[in-house]
Amino acid sequence: MPDMKQLLGNYFERYLWAAKQQREQQGGRSLLNIQTPSLVMQNSGHLRAYSGRAYDPTLLPAGVNGDDLR
């Protein structure tokens, strides 16, 4: 798994809080799907087979939505 603190920078604390909330509600291991006003993050996988995406929806240009990102 990548170093999330390095990848997310200032968004890392938001990620930790939202991930903790989701795990408390869903428990166990599952797809991480964070949807907050300032952070959208989805990831899944395991060693050597990890994938995901993260972005700040407030920074997207007009007319672009998260589904346009790959």
Side-chain angles (χ1 to χ4, degrees):
M1 187 161 174
D3 181 351
M4 299 308 286
K5 187 171 187 176
Q6 182 179 11
L7 285 173
L8 296 175
N10 293 335
Y11 294 91
F12 184 69
E13 293 300 321
R14 290 176 236 184
Y15 157 75
L16 286 179
W17 180 83
K20 180 181 177 199
Q21 296 297 317
Q22 180 177 325
R23 289 192 178 105
E24 286 175 355
Q25 293 173 356
Q26 295 179 353
R29 295 181 176 171
S30 65
L31 171 72
L32 182 63
N33 188 14
I34 296 171
Q35 304 278 332
T36 69
S38 62
L39 177 64
V40 173
M41 182 171 180
Q42 296 141 352
N43 68 28
S44 65
H46 52 84
L47 186 61
R48 297 176 63 193
Y50 179 82
S51 66
R53 67 182 182 157
Y55 62 92
D56 182 342
T58 64
L59 299 176
L60 293 176
V64 176
N65 67 42
D67 293 332
D68 297 330
L69 303 176
R70 295 192 185 258

